[in-house]
Amino acid sequence: MGGKDYGACQDFTSCLVLGKLIMQKRVLLLILLTAMLLNACGSDGGVGSFGSDSGPNPSPQLSLEEADQVAETFFEAWKNGDYVTMYSLVSPNSRDAYSQDAFVAEYEDVAAQIVLASLETRVVNSLRQGTTAAIQYDVTFQSELFGELPDNGRILRLIETPEGWRIAWSRMDIFADLAEGARLELRRTQPSRGNIYDRNGQVLVDQNGRSVMLFAVRGNIPNEEGCITALSRILRRETSDIQAQFDQFLPETRFLIGEVDPETYQAEEQILIQVCGIGDDANDTATRTTRRYFGELAPHVVGYVSQLRPDQLPEYTALGYPQDALIGQEGIEQSYEEYLAGDIGGELTIVAPTGETLRVIAEIPAAPGQSVYLTIDRDLQAAVQQALVEAYNFAQPTWGVTSPGAAAVVMNVKTGEVLAMASYPWFDPSLFNPDSPVLNRGDAISALETDYRTPMLNRATQGRYPAGSVFKIVSMTAGLDSGVYNTNTAITCGGTWYGEQYGDALPFRTDWLPTGHGYVNFIQGLTYSCDPYFWQLGVALHNADDEMLTKYANMMGLGVPTGQEDLTEETGYIPNPEEHFRRNAVPWAIGDTLNLVIGQGQMQITPLQIARMVATVANGGVLYKPQFVSKVQLIGEEPVYQAQPTAISVLDIDPGVFEAIRQAMCDVTLDVNGTARYIYEEWYNYQGTEVVVCGKTGTAQTGGEGVKPQAWFTAFAPQDDPEIAVAVIVENSCEGSEVAAPIVRRIIEDYYGMPHSEWPGFWQTGCFELGE
């Protein structure tokens, strides 16, 4: 065999490398020459021809560098989505074959199918053969759906024309297999949406849930009044609302009353048969599969899904969503869309006119949606909503017909977890799903959105109200912590207070109790809710610092963001001298402090803020961020998100201040003169004092002659080692002690599993003029 001759190679390895480079260039040259020859055969200037658009050019005047520059300009325009500039660089024959609009449409369609975010190109090599040039390049598409999509070894063909180098363009310059008649097709795979569970793993929203539709014929109902009463309890709707629904139909008309969960139907089947006649006939019920919202519980918290709105299409289709996709539009469904929706899968292919797949460019499997676990307790949430329905039903002869709505919040004082949140009236989230069986669904949605009772409004986080005497908790905190007053500071609390001597524009102000409360100290002042005591305090606070009340209110979480981002919320407003002047163009005066110190004037807060404030008092000064979500996970896997209690701040306030306030709040239900004693006296006799409710009444005037006030009651329980804080507001009803306090009482009974007390009898006859 003898010695080996490697020519110019120094050794075997270097020769191998050199040989490989030579081979690569030969292969590229062979590809280019083949392409040129194929195009030259019968070259008539058609699309894709390497022949000149204007005939042979035996004396080429253009350089390869100029061809490279045209290609680079073309690539840069593609990168920037400047398809018009790209079109200006294609050959005259290509422009004859494709109009500018058609050319632009081709690239826009490809960008849409790829879900294109960006692209990068890299020129590998360039060669010239007579009046033609070939640019070898790589392109990498960055897709919102598929990620990085490299497509290497491409060839861009250029020809000399009177305009200079121009690109002999065809659709195969987008993708090699995208010949005439072929199409780029994106097949999306939308995964199953995640469920929403309560804190104990009980389902609140079930993607593959079942619903039982209840139908009725009025003429077949054996006891319509009893049927409406039963349906009110089962569906958690007011009797007047169900009666109005019945009145729309003739006696022989079959109509949909509502939907219930299979468990509820099974438990209530005999009642429905006996009083409503529902279930006697097979046509009285029907079961369907849908994304089911269990019992319409916490709709303002969980939200709902619906189809993409026109204004949402660009954003979501860019993320890979089909145009008919259902997405979360409110509440947790919206704020946790990324988790609940899962990862959309897809396959990007080039398809022949016959339907045959020519090439699979990219594919990605769908990943199922994660389930979201809330801090809400399903059973407590149901009880709170039931309490509100029952209260409005029972009070129909009095405040039930004047009050447009209410809100209730139950919070764990040690963590900030929201255990229940109800805004009344509420709505059926399933109505927004296109599969809803409701006739004239669009009209029903419009009716919801225009209803004067605003059922779509989450009153708990978005309702803005004056706090009334509930704000006196803040005033007491400011007075004690600043040292302006102490717990032994006492005054005679009469029925009338005269403030002109302090600069008040009013000659006098009157207490809610005309006879007054006698000689009271600070704790009694809050327990009895003595307005003159707090007006006198207001004078002292104003003289010390006219912004002090605002500072303490903000410190305790009123008029500032709560820190949670799961639900839409209003910040509210606590007046201060600077903002007051900006809004009203008049300086802050002592009269403004006197209004604020009792929770009146221009101040506005939300029920969630009040619940959080009381939780802070109950736990000794830790202001927590309200928490609605505990974790996100697939069943059987580790959580991808685990929430922890978050303290926004630990208030730098003497612990003795909170101790005094807690005592005053407990006395509200224990002291013979406490503003809610008459509501809780029989309750303690009946339930015992193992659970003492410590609260504060509030009656906020809303302005306007004849307009009924907002009724507040907020509380924590039990007295020792508090567990929960509750806030309830009932709009345009009666006094806080008359209306809100009994509802809080019912909520606490349900929390502790106690027997229910009766609703106050005066709800049937008329409220008293108490003022608190």
Side-chain angles (χ1 to χ4, degrees):
M1 298 289 292
K4 297 179 175 61
D5 182 9
Y6 295 117
C9 304
Q10 300 300 315
D11 53 38
F12 177 78
T13 302
S14 60
C15 190
L16 185 64
V17 171
L18 178 63
K20 186 175 181 181
L21 291 173
I22 294 171
M23 182 63 69
Q24 287 179 336
K25 287 197 172 186
R26 286 178 176 176
V27 169
L28 175 60
L29 182 61
L30 180 61
I31 292 172
L32 297 178
L33 290 174
T34 302
M36 293 175 184
L37 288 171
L38 288 173
N39 278 276
C41 295
S43 173
D44 59 356
V47 175
S49 171
F50 267 82
S52 170
D53 272 48
S54 56
N57 187 350
S59 302
Q61 302 298 316
L62 302 175
S63 67
L64 181 59
E65 289 72 18
E66 290 173 305
D68 289 339
Q69 184 58 53
V70 169
E72 288 291 351
T73 303
F74 186 83
F75 294 147
E76 186 66 21
W78 192 6
K79 177 180 176 180
N80 296 327
D82 184 1
Y83 305 132
V84 173
T85 295
M86 293 173 67
Y87 185 73
S88 70
L89 297 175
V90 304
S91 70
N93 274 8
S94 297
R95 295 199 298 268
D96 288 342
Y98 289 90
S99 69
Q100 179 176 292
D101 288 345
F103 179 90
V104 169
E106 289 282 356
Y107 278 93
E108 287 179 341
D109 178 66
V110 167
Q113 295 296 327
I114 294 178
V115 197
L116 185 65
S118 63
L119 64 85
E120 295 291 338
T121 57
R122 183 179 69 90
V123 173
V124 177
N125 204 353
S126 58
L127 291 174
R128 175 175 181 159
Q129 178 69 26
T131 59
T132 64
I135 310 296
Q136 183 188 12
Y137 71 101
D138 300 334
V139 63
T140 300
F141 301 97
Q142 194 65 42
S143 167
E144 295 280 3
L145 180 59
F146 297 101
E148 193 172 274
L149 301 178
D151 194 32
N152 300 330
R154 288 166 162 253
I155 302 295
L156 186 71
R157 299 161 297 168
L158 292 88
I159 57 176
E160 286 190 4
T161 75
E163 300 174 5
W165 285 111
R166 288 296 180 262
I167 295 158
W169 185 87
S170 76
R171 296 176 79 238
M172 289 185 290
D173 286 302
I174 303 176
F175 281 107
D177 298 287
L178 197 61
E180 290 300 320
R183 67 183 185 276
L184 190 64
E185 187 174 287
L186 172 61
R187 300 165 185 156
R188 292 185 175 93
T189 306
Q190 194 163 15
S192 178
R193 191 173 180 87
N195 293 341
I196 300 177
Y197 298 95
D198 84 337
R199 65 187 299 108
N200 301 310
Q202 295 191 94
V203 69
L204 287 168
V205 185
D206 187 354
Q207 175 64 13
N208 298 306
R210 292 169 58 244
S211 169
V212 179
M213 297 179 285
L214 305 179
F215 296 89
V217 177
R218 292 187 71 182
N220 297 340
I221 297 175
N223 179 356
E224 185 167 297
E225 182 179 352
C227 177
I228 290 174
T229 300
L231 289 172
S232 173
R233 177 180 56 80
I234 295 168
L235 300 176
R236 298 189 187 88
R237 291 167 54 190
E238 284 184 49
T239 54
S240 58
D241 177 41
I242 297 174
Q243 183 66 65
Q245 181 184 11
F246 275 38
D247 291 343
Q248 297 178 40
F249 300 98
L250 297 172
E252 65 276 9
T253 304
R254 178 177 179 268
F255 62 96
L256 176 67
I257 299 173
E259 297 182 88
V260 296
D261 304 284
E263 305 96 308
T264 302
Y265 177 72
Q266 185 175 5
E268 304 289 352
E269 184 176 10
Q270 292 306 311
I271 295 293
L272 289 170
I273 291 173
Q274 292 168 14
V275 299
C276 296
I278 297 174
D280 285 335
D281 189 289
N283 293 324
D284 292 343
T285 62
T287 301
R288 69 188 187 97
T289 300
T290 183
R291 183 167 181 80
R292 181 61 183 156
Y293 295 84
F294 186 90
E296 297 178 19
L297 294 180
H300 297 94
V301 176
V302 299
Y304 59 87
V305 295
S306 72
Q307 287 179 308
L308 288 166
R309 301 190 306 264
D311 62 297
Q312 295 173 320
L313 281 170
E315 175 187 357
Y316 282 90
T317 53
L319 296 173
Y321 282 70
Q323 292 194 5
D324 61 349
L326 299 181
I327 66 164
Q329 296 285 12
E330 293 290 344
I332 298 301
E333 290 274 32
Q334 180 186 53
S335 56
Y336 281 76
E337 170 69 19
E338 180 181 355
Y339 292 107
L340 289 165
D343 296 329
I344 295 174
E347 184 181 58
L348 185 65
T349 61
I350 296 176
V351 181
T354 59
E356 176 190 359
T357 298
L358 300 176
R359 177 184 174 187
V360 176
I361 297 172
E363 57 184 332
I364 184 172
Q370 304 272 340
S371 290
V372 178
Y373 291 75
L374 304 186
T375 61
I376 296 291
D377 183 298
R378 190 177 83 173
D379 294 339
L380 181 62
Q381 179 71 32
V384 171
Q385 292 186 215
Q386 190 67 47
L388 291 173
V389 171
E390 287 186 20
Y392 273 81
N393 279 341
F394 193 79
Q396 281 299 302
T398 55
W399 60 263
V401 293
T402 64
S403 173
V409 180
V410 184
M411 179 178 286
N412 183 327
V413 305
K414 299 177 182 179
T415 63
E417 293 173 297
V418 176
L419 305 180
M421 175 183 283
S423 179
Y424 187 82
W426 47 80
F427 61 94
D428 179 2
S430 65
L431 179 64
F432 295 87
N433 192 322
D435 72 358
S436 169
V438 174
L439 294 176
N440 303 316
R441 188 175 67 90
D443 293 341
I445 292 174
S446 296
L448 269 181
E449 294 172 339
T450 57
D451 190 332
Y452 82 97
R453 298 184 71 181
T454 59
M456 299 294 294
L457 175 72
N458 185 354
R459 287 171 161 83
T461 63
Q462 295 173 282
R464 294 162 56 109
Y465 308 97
S469 290
V470 168
F471 190 80
K472 291 173 182 174
I473 295 172
V474 173
S475 302
M476 185 173 182
T477 305
L480 291 177
D481 189 58
S482 67
V484 169
Y485 272 21
N486 61 55
T487 55
N488 295 320
T489 302
I491 69 168
T492 298
C493 182
T496 304
W497 182 82
Y498 299 92
E500 280 187 307
Q501 58 184 314
Y502 307 112
D504 189 11
L506 298 177
F508 62 88
R509 296 172 184 256
T510 56
D511 185 57
W512 64 270
L513 187 63
T515 59
H517 307 272
Y519 193 68
V520 299
N521 61 25
F522 211 152
I523 289 177
Q524 293 168 326
L526 187 69
T527 298
Y528 305 159
S529 201
C530 170
D531 288 335
Y533 190 99
F534 283 88
W535 286 323
Q536 200 66 46
L537 171 65
V539 172
L541 293 174
H542 184 86
N543 291 336
D545 179 357
D546 60 4
E547 293 191 57
M548 188 181 298
L549 276 173
T550 301
K551 292 175 183 176
Y552 274 89
N554 293 161
M555 184 192 308
M556 298 176 75
L558 303 185
V560 295
T562 65
Q564 68 83 26
E565 298 178 345
D566 295 334
L567 307 180
T568 303
E569 71 173 17
E570 289 287 338
T571 300
Y573 169 61
I574 304 297
N576 62 68
E578 181 180 347
E579 183 64 18
H580 177 82
F581 183 79
R582 191 187 71 81
R583 292 189 179 201
N584 303 289
V586 294
W588 183 267
I590 191 169
D592 299 305
T593 299
L594 297 176
N595 286 335
L596 181 57
V597 78
I598 63 167
Q600 292 289 168
Q602 295 181 340
M603 67 94 64
Q604 291 183 323
I605 45 76
T606 69
L608 178 60
Q609 290 176 354
I610 292 293
R612 185 168 73 139
M613 177 191 71
V614 172
T616 302
V617 171
N619 68 34
V622 183
L623 184 69
Y624 283 105
K625 180 177 76 173
Q627 185 181 332
F628 293 94
V629 172
S630 61
K631 63 180 178 178
V632 178
Q633 72 174 134
L634 284 172
I635 294 177
E637 297 186 7
E638 288 298 311
V640 297
Y641 168 74
Q642 183 86 51
Q644 297 295 332
T646 303
I648 299 295
S649 63
V650 178
L651 305 189
D652 185 19
I653 292 175
D654 189 322
V657 171
F658 291 125
E659 185 178 346
I661 295 172
R662 289 194 294 267
Q663 181 59 57
M665 293 178 68
C666 294
D667 287 347
V668 165
T669 67
L670 291 172
D671 189 295
V672 66
N673 293 316
T675 54
R677 174 61 180 176
Y678 74 104
I679 294 296
Y680 282 87
E681 183 174 11
E682 290 186 10
W683 189 74
Y684 287 134
N685 292 335
Y686 178 53
Q687 306 281 16
T689 56
E690 182 179 347
V691 176
V692 171
V693 178
C694 306
K696 182 68 192 81
T697 55
T699 303
Q701 304 303 318
T702 55
E705 187 175 350
V707 178
K708 292 185 174 295
Q710 321 284 34
W712 281 101
F713 192 66
T714 184
F716 66 84
Q719 180 178 16
D720 299 323
D721 194 17
E723 297 177 6
I724 59 169
V726 185
V728 168
I729 184 172
V730 181
E731 299 172 352
N732 306 127
S733 53
C734 295
E735 317 301 338
S737 60
E738 293 176 310
V739 176
I743 296 175
V744 170
R745 182 181 65 187
R746 173 62 64 85
I747 291 171
I748 290 175
E749 287 170 345
D750 285 316
Y751 177 80
Y752 285 104
M754 297 175 171
H756 286 171
S757 303
E758 297 292 331
W759 294 115
F762 56 79
W763 282 9
Q764 297 269 300
T765 57
C767 301
F768 305 106
E769 294 298 327
L770 296 175
E772 282 297 315

